[in-house]
């Protein structure tokens, strides 16, 4: 493990955080749209948002593709970090601390996505007009939560190793 590799990991952590934050914002938008659809259906008004089902399906499919590509990267990165020797990582304490900080920010973004998902599910349980691929969204959210936990653990482990190498 070298500084270039750690810089790439930091970049990928930021990219994952941005992806998760965007997904949370999009999911909040779908929640608002679904709430409006349910209101229109409850009042026996014709539903005006005819693109909701296709838009939601496209969002879930795209999120699944993004999640899968990121899972592959992080699996390889974790293996590379864990296969390093004890001599590697010397002088990377500051970058390791930065990794911990960015992993925590990623965790907060993932918590935000979980909150948006819970809000969406609150409205979805009353939605009977069409089938939505919510199972795909559930799978993505679970995978992202698990991945975030692994990244947090890995960042703390790396920070602890680099601090020990500094002699503290």
């Amino acid at each position: 493990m070298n500084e270039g590799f750690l810089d790439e990991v930091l970049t990928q952590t930021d990219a994952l955080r941005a992806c998760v934050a965007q997904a949370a914002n999009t999911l909040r938008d779908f929640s608002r749209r679904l709430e409006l659809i349910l209101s229109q259906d409850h009042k026996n008004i014709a539903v005006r948002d005819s693109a909701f089902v296709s838009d939601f399906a496209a969002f879930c499919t795209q999120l699944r593709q993004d999640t899968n590509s990121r899972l592959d990267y992080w699996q390889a990165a974790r293996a590379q970090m864990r296969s390093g020797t004890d001599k590697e990582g010397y002088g990377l304490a500051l970058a390791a601390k930065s990794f911990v900080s960015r992993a925590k920010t990623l965790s907060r973004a993932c918590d935000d996505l979980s909150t948006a998902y819970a809000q969406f599910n609150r409205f979805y349980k009353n939605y009977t007009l069409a089938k939505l691929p919510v199972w795909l969204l559930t799978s993505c959210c679970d995978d992202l939560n698990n991945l975030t936990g692994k990244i947090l653990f890995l960042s703390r482990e790396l920070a602890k190793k680099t601090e020990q190498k500094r002699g503290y």
Side-chain angles (χ1 to χ4, degrees):
M1 176 178 55
N2 57 22
E3 191 170 346
F5 173 73
L6 200 50
D7 286 342
E8 175 64 23
V9 167
L10 292 173
T11 302
Q12 289 294 324
T13 303
D14 287 341
L16 180 58
R17 182 201 50 78
C19 177
V20 169
Q22 178 62 38
N25 287 336
T26 303
L27 194 54
R28 274 191 221 93
D29 182 49
F30 279 117
S31 291
R32 285 189 287 276
R33 288 172 65 184
L34 184 58
E35 184 180 19
L36 184 61
I37 288 170
L38 289 172
S39 175
Q40 290 170 353
D41 184 48
H42 180 70
K43 295 175 183 175
N44 291 327
I45 299 172
V47 175
R48 297 179 193 118
D49 192 352
S50 60
F52 177 78
V53 175
S54 61
D55 290 350
F56 185 77
F59 164 71
C60 289
T61 302
Q62 183 62 44
L63 185 60
R64 179 78 264 166
Q65 290 171 354
D66 289 347
T67 302
N68 286 343
S69 67
R70 293 177 196 287
L71 288 174
D72 293 341
Y73 170 79
W74 281 103
Q75 184 177 12
R78 287 176 55 227
Q80 186 174 350
M81 281 185 177
R82 290 200 170 154
S83 69
T85 64
D86 286 341
K87 293 179 182 178
E88 293 178 344
Y90 184 75
L92 298 176
L94 187 59
K97 285 182 179 182
S98 178
F99 184 34
V100 170
S101 175
R102 291 179 187 190
K104 287 179 182 179
T105 304
L106 170 62
S107 178
R108 284 191 288 274
C110 206
D111 290 344
D112 194 29
L113 177 63
S114 295
T115 302
Y117 173 72
Q119 180 185 9
F120 180 82
N121 273 338
R122 195 179 87 221
F123 294 121
Y124 176 69
K125 68 181 180 184
N126 296 323
Y127 184 71
T128 58
L129 297 177
K131 285 283 194 189
L132 296 177
V134 174
W135 61 271
L136 195 56
L137 179 63
T138 303
S139 171
C140 291
C141 288
D142 290 345
D143 286 350
L144 288 170
N145 280 324
N146 290 336
L147 179 62
T148 299
K150 290 175 184 177
I151 292 170
L152 273 170
F153 180 77
L154 189 64
S155 69
R156 290 179 186 134
E157 189 177 272
L158 181 66
K160 187 172 22 172
K161 281 184 182 180
T162 56
E163 284 296 320
Q164 289 172 348
K165 288 181 175 70
R166 287 181 62 194
Y168 291 117

